[in-house]
């Protein structure tokens, strides 16, 4: 009886160790820039300022915008804090300011899971991104 308990314990340890090794291997195989995200930016005249597919490992749209600003793909000014209820908001993109009474910098997506399921997109820091998502940023009044 005691031998069976020892054998089962050894088998369980080997199984857990094997699963741990597999997870370590899979984590080491993560490709940089695994997500391809389409970003389109339009001004209030519908002029396209940016239409680009970017590759990222960012988890949220806010993190992706931070990366794009750091890489000098966009110029952006944000206000608020990531820890706010809706996160930060966009004050200006490509030196085009949103107004205090509108138009504001807004964004939408026709294929982001969160945006589609809710009927609207969360704030940039609360909106997760997935491979092949597409986002359009524009100056608008919103339809509230």
């Amino acid at each position: 009886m005691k031998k069976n308990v020892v054998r089962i314990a050894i088998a369980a340890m080997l199984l857990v160790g094997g699963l741990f090794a597999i997870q370590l291997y899979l984590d080491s195989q993560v490709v940089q820039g695994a997500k391809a995200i389409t970003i389109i930016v339009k001004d209030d005249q519908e002029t396209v300022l940016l239409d680009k597919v970017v590759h990222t490992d960012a988890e949220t749209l806010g993190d992706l915008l931070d990366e794009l600003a750091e890489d000098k793909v966009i110029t952006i000014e944000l206000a608020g804090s990531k820890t706010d209820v809706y996160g930060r908001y966009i004050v200006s993109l490509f030196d085009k300011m949103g107004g205090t009474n509108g138009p504001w910098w807004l964004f939408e997506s026709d294929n982001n899971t969160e945006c589609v399921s809710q009927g609207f997109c969360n704030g940039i820091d609360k909106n997760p991104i997935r491979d092949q998502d597409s986002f359009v940023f524009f100056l608008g009044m919103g339809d509230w």
Side-chain angles (χ1 to χ4, degrees), residues 21-61:
I22 289 170
Q23 186 62 44
L24 280 176
Y25 174 76
L26 292 175
D27 288 346
S28 71
Q29 300 302 309
V30 171
V31 177
Q32 288 291 77
K35 298 175 196 166
I37 310 294
T38 301
I39 301 289
I40 299 169
V41 179
K42 298 178 182 179
D43 65 12
D44 54 340
Q45 303 300 313
E46 293 291 312
T47 304
V48 175
L49 305 174
L50 178 72
D51 186 349
K52 184 175 182 83
V53 175
V54 295
H55 298 276
T56 184
D57 291 323
E59 296 293 321
T60 66
L61 188 55

Side-chain angles (χ1 to χ4, degrees), residues 48-118:
V48 175
L49 305 174
L50 178 72
D51 186 349
K52 184 175 182 83
V53 175
V54 295
H55 298 276
T56 184
D57 291 323
E59 296 293 321
T60 66
L61 188 55
D63 292 338
L64 174 58
L65 293 174
D66 290 340
E67 283 180 14
L68 295 175
E70 187 177 303
D71 294 342
K72 307 224 184 301
V73 174
I74 62 172
T75 56
I76 189 169
E77 182 183 342
L78 301 169
S81 170
K82 283 186 175 187
T83 59
D84 290 346
V85 173
Y86 298 106
R88 299 170 294 170
Y89 60 94
I90 301 168
V91 175
S92 75
L93 258 171
F94 294 107
D95 299 323
K96 305 266 184 196
M97 296 289 291
T100 52
N101 295 320
W104 302 280
W105 277 105
L106 307 171
F107 70 96
E108 62 188 6
S109 175
D110 60 2
N111 68 346
N112 174 267
T113 307
E114 297 287 320
C115 297
V116 172
S117 69
Q118 298 178 134

